Amino acid sequence: MAGIPLYFVDLQDDLDDFGFEDYGPDCDSMRITAFLDIPGQDNLTPLARLEKYAFSDNVFNRQIIARGLLDIFRDFSHNEEDFLTVMEIVVRLSEDAEPTVRTELMEQIPPIAIFLQESQPKFPTAFFEYLMPIVVRYLTDVNNQVRKAGQEALLILLEQDLVAQSDIENKVCPILLDLSAPDSDDEYKVEAVNIICKMASMLSRTTVEHMLLPRFCELCSDGKLFQVRKICAANFGDICNAVGQEATERLLIPKFFELCSDSVWGMRKACAECFMAVSYTTSPEVRRSKLSPVFISLISDTCRWVRQAAFQSLGPFISTFANPSSAGLYIREDGTLSIRPSAQDVNANSCQPGNNITVMSPSANAALSSSEQPMEIKPESSTEETSAEINTKLSEDLNKNPREESSACCASPGAEVSRLCQGDKAASEGRKESSFPGLSSGLPPAEDVFNTFLYWRPPLPDISQDLELLQFKAEKHNDACSLPCNNCVASSEIKKVLESLQEHIDDPDVQAQVQVLSAALRAAQFDSVGDCETKKIEESSDNLQNKMILDETAVSDAACNQLQGDTHSSPASQDDISDQSSTRVLKSTDSEEQHRGTSVFLRKEQENSPPFEDDKSKLQDIIPQPLLDQYLSMTDPARAQTVDTEIAKHCAYSLPGVALTLGRQNWHCLKDTYETLASDVQWKVRRTLAFSIHELAVILGDQLTAADLVPIFNGFLKDLDEVRIGVLKHLYDFLKLLHADKRREYLYQLQEFVVTDNSRNWRFRYELAEQLILILELYNPNDVYDYLRHIALTLCSDKVSEVRWISFKLVVAILQKFYANGANTLGLNFINELVVRFRHCSKWVGRQAFAFICQAVVEEECMPVDQFVEHLLPSLLSLASDPVPNVRVLLAKALRQTLLEKAYFKSVGNPHLEAAEETILALQSDRDQDVSFFATIKLRQDNMDNITIEKQN
């Protein structure tokens, strides 16, 4: 109907000649084919008249018939014979030589198919016999517009599930396969590929995998048309999702890698954009071992647009590594985060590298178990807190007398040490027991315990078990040294690429690529060198200790006992000394002056304690380390120069997903990046963080939130309005995650939200009122009365009516808070303030607000009826004599529609009923028609909502 007036502008004379005199642009309610019912001079039946105009020499007549086919079918659907005649006319009309007629006809096929589906008992096979062949034929029409109309109609029919499976397999798919054949016309092939990709998500997995997937794989390698490959790359994720994991990994992943290395940058860019969708359908092994290296190559691509798309997809790609069992969080069907991990997940989390504090500290372990209660989770301490607790405990142990500590340790051999060593489970399983007699059952493996031999040098009585241990560790060293070989090979390859790029170092794109490859080289060298150095440290320490053991074999039993006691206190010394020498150990393999077990502690410190090097602080095992390194580099100012000026915004947008993937135990990897983004000069970046800080608080838990997010949250409160609105929209969600004492601190700052940079920004104050209604439950009545009450009354006097009306609801909620918690005195004081401020207000708007508040109080039943009739009803009824009609109108509505409908006022003998009825009678005889109308007639609730006070004004 919308397109009809375009024809009437120039062809009104033709309309007059064919009986369209009364059909003009303003006749929207008339059917397009209404002329068929108008008796003319030809004395033809409507069906004959339809056939006449359908095959008229005038193209416009045929267009009108094609456009009005749906109405024609409805008119002739009552008679089966007439209906079949119309079908035959449609089939003949579909062969019209004019493309516009065929296009108009095809646009009507989907609504006609829906109509036939609804009336299927009458015509069960009409669509499949008459209309579906037309759709299939139009896919190969010579006119481009007709083909596009046919493709759009086919997609709509598939989406509505109106096409039979047999028609899909026997009619549609063969046509598409022929059009996408290698020898097909280029234009037809591009259109066929596009329709194959779009319809893949609407078909069954079996149909796609058996009929369309082989051709799709061939088209991905089409060397003739890059447009075909680009369409395949852009829709690769949808195809993967349609065929499932097994077919994706077996057939599609190799093709995807070819597209990722295509010579045309548009293909690589399209692959980067759909990388998350492809990763979502693969197994974790393929995602980590195959997709991650390919994605790194896209990030370091020579084309800036490819790098830009890759960095935008980096965060979503990292999110596909998320594992609920490690994160302890679940995403519900409605998209919200759930923080109620199961018991199995809690146990699993306690074994994670970053959670050893839960094993050592019973209080932390109990706190973790309490996370099963919603919104009361007690997460693990941060790595800084963990290290501080350990170092404090060990420092106290060092100050004790070794002899006194020896007796204490004998009572509970290895108790504290075993707790510290449980985090490195894999290392402890492969080591033998201690060589000291009587300690094998209580102490952990010898290399996990600090050796006092370097300090007191007592000789050992027996070295046989130590020799066996040395032999065992030599074999283990040979096996372990083969692991970093892959890193060494990768490092050499990266060095070759860097050398080849030195000639073009002046190019900014090449500089960006060199930076990316340099970071990858440092990561690879760090892993390989770190492993080898650790092994060499252990070997050299063992050889040194063995030599010293052989030199001092004469020892007494008393000295051995003394050694046992000193050994028990060794963990404290080990930690203290390792803190001083850890950096030096990483840089040099000459560690003969270091005690045995230092390398073990370094690994443990990497997992459990604060980092001693900046790059070490970013290590984790959830996602491939190069991906995290690239994500953290998105805050580098150089990236904005060489990749994208808004790359920091993309980093901020995906940060909650990355944090959820890494889990709170690896928050230290993202902490610096988050602080950098929070202080970014672009307000759009800070605004993005402000809108998601409440979600990040759920991920991190209350302890990390209080330590790391609260300072940033406080900074956002003082930022621009564009940033503050993000915090304000989820203010309740963030505050409810804080402890009561920390939450109470924000009572003083809520007043700042009333003041905005632009006073015209009334939606900011409207959002504040909505949030305060929710926030009321977080504070006690005294705090509400002292702080929130003033804000509510200020908003009630706002210049914008929308802000005032939502503020009146806030006032009612505050009153309900008082009486629900038994604070009747506060409620009475608040009522008296409302009477003074609104009932006796000099402006009629204030008195009208008082009537609205009283009506809302009765509707919500937020206070006892006896309190209402005693303190509010007299002031409300006194408004009947108000000189402003708008005030009396709202009073009439409050009495008639709310107050008198309550059971309390319907009871016989109620002393207040007579006063209310007298007021109603007075309002019914009011000189203002609106007042008398609302006082007389009881409106339905839905009609009442549609009549607003502002319209009366």
Side-chain angles (χ1 to χ4, degrees), residues 81-106:
E81 184 177 354
D82 294 344
F83 183 83
L84 295 178
T85 303
V86 173
M87 275 294 185
E88 294 175 357
I89 293 176
V90 172
V91 173
R92 292 172 57 189
L93 190 63
S94 66
E95 300 173 355
D96 195 287
E98 178 61 34
T100 57
V101 177
R102 301 198 302 273
T103 303
E104 293 282 357
L105 186 146
M106 183 50 58

Side-chain angles (χ1 to χ4, degrees), residues 357-368 389 419:
I357 184 63
T358 63
V359 179
M360 185 194 70
S361 174
S363 60
N365 192 17
L368 180 61
E389 184 176 348
R419 294 192 184 102

Side-chain angles (χ1 to χ4, degrees), residues 360-644:
M360 185 194 70
S361 174
S363 60
N365 192 17
L368 180 61
S369 63
S370 67
S371 64
E372 297 176 358
Q373 300 296 329
M375 310 316 299
E376 293 293 333
I377 186 168
K378 306 293 183 183
E380 303 84 9
S381 301
S382 63
T383 54
E384 292 81 358
E385 296 171 351
T386 302
S387 176
E389 184 176 348
I390 294 176
N391 292 337
T392 302
K393 183 178 182 64
L394 298 182
S395 300
E396 295 175 355
D397 294 343
L398 276 176
N399 295 330
K400 295 183 180 179
N401 190 314
R403 300 181 183 273
E404 297 176 356
E405 186 68 15
S406 175
S407 61
C409 289
C410 292
S412 178
E416 295 296 328
V417 178
S418 62
R419 294 192 184 102
L420 288 173
C421 299
Q422 288 179 13
D424 199 0
K425 181 179 180 181
S428 63
E429 290 178 351
R431 301 186 178 100
K432 293 188 177 181
E433 297 177 348
S434 173
S435 61
F436 304 119
L439 292 180
S440 60
S441 61
L443 284 177
E447 63 179 330
D448 284 347
V449 182
F450 175 72
N451 195 338
T452 57
F453 177 80
L454 293 178
Y455 295 89
W456 291 285
R457 305 175 70 88
L460 300 178
D462 187 9
I463 64 172
S464 58
Q465 296 185 15
D466 278 340
L467 293 177
E468 294 176 1
L469 180 62
L470 288 175
Q471 182 179 0
F472 169 79
K473 298 192 72 59
E475 297 175 354
K476 184 176 180 180
H477 169 73
N478 294 333
D479 296 337
C481 285
S482 62
L483 296 178
C485 293
N486 294 333
N487 292 332
C488 297
V489 174
S491 300
S492 62
E493 294 178 355
I494 296 176
K495 289 180 180 178
K496 293 179 182 179
V497 176
L498 286 174
E499 292 175 358
S500 64
L501 294 176
Q502 293 300 323
E503 301 177 358
H504 311 282
I505 195 64
D506 296 334
D507 190 351
D509 292 340
V510 176
Q511 294 177 1
Q513 186 177 6
V514 169
Q515 293 177 359
V516 173
L517 293 176
S518 301
L521 177 62
R522 287 195 300 270
Q525 291 177 343
F526 182 79
D527 294 339
S528 61
V529 174
D531 292 341
C532 292
E533 288 180 349
T534 300
K535 297 300 179 180
K536 291 180 180 179
I537 291 171
E538 294 181 0
E539 183 179 2
S540 60
S541 300
D542 293 341
N543 292 337
L544 176 63
Q545 183 177 358
N546 185 38
K547 180 179 179 181
M548 300 180 73
I549 289 173
L550 294 176
D551 292 340
E552 302 184 11
T553 56
V555 64
S556 63
D557 295 339
C560 180
N561 294 334
Q562 178 65 39
L563 175 62
Q564 294 177 6
D566 295 340
T567 305
H568 282 292
S569 62
S570 61
S573 303
Q574 177 185 0
D575 286 6
D576 185 71
I577 295 174
S578 298
D579 285 339
Q580 301 175 5
S581 60
S582 56
T583 305
R584 185 169 64 254
V585 170
L586 283 176
K587 296 180 179 179
S588 175
T589 57
D590 187 12
S591 58
E592 294 183 356
E593 296 180 1
Q594 302 301 323
H595 55 75
R596 181 183 180 186
T598 301
S599 60
V600 178
F601 177 79
L602 288 178
R603 290 197 301 269
K604 199 178 306 177
E605 190 76 357
Q606 170 185 318
E607 298 171 351
N608 304 331
S609 302
F612 40 79
E613 288 188 11
D614 184 65
D615 49 357
K616 289 283 286 184
S617 67
K618 307 297 188 273
L619 297 181
Q620 43 74 45
D621 58 353
I622 305 297
I623 63 176
Q625 190 62 35
L627 290 179
L628 180 60
D629 294 339
Q630 295 300 329
Y631 179 79
L632 299 180
S633 70
M634 293 175 71
T635 57
D636 188 354
R639 295 293 189 195
Q641 302 280 342
T642 59
V643 180
D644 186 6

Side-chain angles (χ1 to χ4, degrees), residues 14 253 481:
D14 294 335
I253 289 299
C481 285

Side-chain angles (χ1 to χ4, degrees), residues 869 873 877 904-905 907-918:
V869 298
L873 185 60
L877 297 179
Y904 178 82
F905 290 94
S907 59
V908 181
N910 190 324
H912 305 282
L913 178 60
E914 183 178 355
E917 290 180 345
E918 292 178 357

